[in-house]
């Protein structure tokens, strides 16, 4: 029987503009996985709800305000990180206050899902791309 690893919950957002482009940020050089492109977000603190953690992280990283009720849960992924397992939850978001700006990251980009496959991203983010593309396709068809 496999041991239960320590889970580290992390939340991420796909901020989606009306044009269908999605915000990615570049990881700073002084952090793990420097230079990789990722969905903005971060760790869920003990006792914090995932949506509240994501609203806090987006304010800290992008200086945007988001009502936690505006997050749409999309999918999740897991990845080993040392002796722990990262549990990464991805939410879609279509409404926020203020224009996103790079506060902690050296750069932001607004990209379409097909452009994401050409960017170096953390392995845990890779499975999000097809799920996000499917979600956007359903939105365009009026089924989401």
């Amino acid at each position: 029987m496999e041991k239960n690893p320590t889970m580290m919950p992390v939340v991420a957002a796909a901020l989606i503009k009306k044009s269908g482009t999605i915000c990615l940020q570049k990881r700073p050089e002084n952090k793990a996985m420097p230079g990789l492109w990722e969905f903005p977000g971060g760790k869920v603190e003990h006792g914090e709800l995932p949506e509240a953690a994501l609203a806090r992280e987006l304010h800290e990283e992008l200086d945007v305000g988001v009502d936690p009720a505006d997050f749409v849960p999309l999918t999740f992924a897991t990845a080993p990180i040392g002796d722990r397992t990262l549990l990464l939850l991805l939410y879609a978001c279509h409404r926020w206050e203020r224009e996103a700006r790079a506060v902690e990251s050296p750069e932001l980009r607004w990209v379409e899902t097909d452009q994401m496959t050409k960017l170096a991203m953390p392995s845990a983010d890779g499975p999000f791309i097809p799920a996000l593309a499917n979600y956007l396709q359903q939105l365009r068809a009026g089924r989401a």
Side-chain angles (χ1 to χ4, degrees), residues 49-87:
L49 292 174
E51 296 83 358
L54 188 52
R56 174 184 52 74
E57 288 284 348
L58 293 176
H59 177 72
E60 292 171 3
E61 293 181 359
L62 305 177
D63 192 33
V64 296
V66 181
D67 181 339
D70 287 331
F71 293 124
V72 177
L74 283 187
T75 190
F76 71 94
T78 60
I81 303 284
D83 63 345
R84 298 181 291 180
T85 298
L86 176 78
L87 172 61

Side-chain angles (χ1 to χ4, degrees), residues 35-110:
L36 297 184
W37 291 92
E38 68 179 356
F39 296 96
K43 294 177 187 167
V44 178
E45 301 295 334
H46 181 73
E48 193 174 34
L49 292 174
E51 296 83 358
L54 188 52
R56 174 184 52 74
E57 288 284 348
L58 293 176
H59 177 72
E60 292 171 3
E61 293 181 359
L62 305 177
D63 192 33
V64 296
V66 181
D67 181 339
D70 287 331
F71 293 124
V72 177
L74 283 187
T75 190
F76 71 94
T78 60
I81 303 284
D83 63 345
R84 298 181 291 180
T85 298
L86 176 78
L87 172 61
L88 186 56
L89 309 171
L90 180 68
Y91 293 82
C93 184
H94 299 271
R95 296 187 333 171
W96 58 91
E97 298 172 353
R98 295 180 299 283
E99 185 63 32
R101 64 184 186 88
V103 175
E104 296 180 356
S105 168
E107 186 180 348
L108 296 182
R109 281 191 191 171
W110 292 89

Side-chain angles (χ1 to χ4, degrees), residues 12 22-29 32-40 62 88 102 105-111 115-126 128-129:
I22 299 151
C23 183
L24 293 180
Q25 65 182 3
K26 194 173 197 178
R27 290 191 58 82
E29 292 300 319
M33 299 179 282
L36 297 184
W37 291 92
E38 68 179 356
F39 296 96
L62 305 177
L88 186 56
S105 168
E107 186 180 348
L108 296 182
R109 281 191 191 171
W110 292 89
V111 299
Q115 296 169 312
M116 288 180 192
T117 60
K118 298 174 182 108
L119 297 173
M121 298 180 79
S123 60
D125 287 13
F128 291 163
I129 299 169

